[in-house]
């Protein structure tokens, strides 16, 4: 008798506990639904932004870093022309220098200017080929596009000797030789 009652009490207590648990969970549920997913999404948005920013500044470039124009030791004027060429197309920089590239599109068609090592240029060429015509390229710290007659500047700090290239990745331009050699010497 005693054991049956005890067991019954036990079962009732268990059911009561379960009910309590379910209700409290249910009470928390709406809160979970309303706050957490949006917080998660906000975090994901932030991560996306950070990710884009990372891709943007390439936070660690292997060849120095973007710098303020005011920090430039000198300005190098470069013309980008419809002859699919940069002029000059050989640039010499001393390690430690901060340089502003002032690039002018002297042509009648759009050009762009990408600073990077050969691997970066090749990657960018592939990216541009992939999205040709589908979307407009946006400027990055080491990349900008130039409408006809437009001039833009890029200031870069070069801490170490390295071999770099400048390139235009409008469809067919790079392959046609629209590139230049940037040598950072010790
Ligand atoms: Cu070009």
């Amino acid at each position: 008798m005693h054991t049956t009652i005890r067991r019954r009490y036990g079962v009732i207590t268990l059911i009561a506990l379960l009910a309590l648990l379910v209700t409290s969970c249910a009470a928390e549920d709406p809160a979970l639904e309303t706050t957490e997913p949006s917080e998660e999404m906000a975090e994901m948005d932030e991560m996306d932004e950070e990710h884009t920013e990372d891709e943007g500044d390439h936070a660690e470039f292997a060849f120095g870093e973007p710098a303020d124009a005011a920090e430039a030791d000198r300005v190098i004027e470069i013309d980008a022309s419809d002859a699919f060429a940069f002029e000059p197309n050989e640039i010499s920089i001393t390690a430690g220098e901060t340089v502003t590239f002032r690039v002018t599109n002297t042509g009648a068609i759009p050009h762009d200017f990408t600073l990077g090592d050969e691997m970066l240029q090749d990657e960018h060429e592939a990216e541009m080929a992939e999205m040709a015509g589908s979307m407009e390229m946006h400027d990055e710290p080491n990349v900008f596009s130039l409408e006809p007659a437009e001039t833009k500047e890029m200031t870069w700090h070069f801490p170490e000797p390295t071999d770099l290239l400048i390139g235009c990745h409008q469809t067919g331009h790079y392959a046609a030789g629209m590139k230049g050699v940037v040598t950072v010497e010790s």
Side-chain angles (χ1 to χ4, degrees):
M1 238 354 215
H2 267 295
T3 48
T4 323
I5 288 168
R6 224 180 267 158
R7 203 175 291 158
R8 195 168 288 168
Y9 270 122
V11 168
I12 288 167
T13 317
L14 201 72
I15 288 168
L17 277 173
L18 278 174
L20 209 81
L21 209 70
V22 167
T23 359
S24 61
C25 281
E28 271 172 28
D29 258 353
L32 282 174
E33 270 168 30
T34 50
T35 62
E36 281 207 4
S38 62
E39 270 172 30
E40 261 171 41
M41 275 167 72
E43 268 172 39
M44 276 166 69
D45 280 350
E46 270 171 41
M47 278 167 70
D48 272 354
E49 267 168 40
E50 276 166 31
H51 192 57
T52 347
E53 272 170 25
D54 280 353
E55 286 188 342
D57 12 87
H58 280 261
E60 308 98 28
F61 283 95
F63 49 93
E65 58 192 4
D68 287 338
E71 293 168 21
D73 297 308
R74 63 189 169 112
V75 176
I76 298 173
E77 308 259 3
I78 301 170
D79 285 347
S81 78
D82 290 354
F84 304 121
F86 289 109
E87 174 57 41
N89 61 5
E90 281 180 31
I91 295 162
S92 205
I93 292 167
T94 307
E97 264 192 307
T98 299
V99 168
T100 293
F101 301 100
R102 182 180 294 149
V103 190
T104 300
N105 181 353
T106 61
I109 59 171
H111 291 287
D112 56 56
F113 179 85
T114 294
L115 174 70
D117 54 26
E118 194 168 14
M119 195 175 79
L120 186 148
Q121 298 286 352
D122 289 346
E123 279 172 8
H124 193 60
E125 176 69 7
E127 271 171 28
M128 288 294 286
E130 208 172 284
M131 65 188 215
S134 66
M135 62 189 281
E136 219 170 286
M137 182 184 75
H138 43 244
D139 293 353
E140 293 171 33
N142 66 324
V143 179
F144 57 62
S145 55
L146 294 160
E147 292 302 314
E150 193 174 18
T151 298
K152 284 187 185 174
E153 291 186 356
M154 179 187 297
T155 303
W156 205 268
H157 176 60
F158 298 92
E160 288 168 6
T162 183
D163 291 322
L164 302 174
L165 296 168
I166 53 173
C168 171
H169 297 280
Q170 295 292 306
T171 307
H173 294 203
Y174 192 68
M178 193 157 187
K179 57 180 83 172
V181 176
V182 177
T183 310
V184 184
E185 291 158 322
S186 55

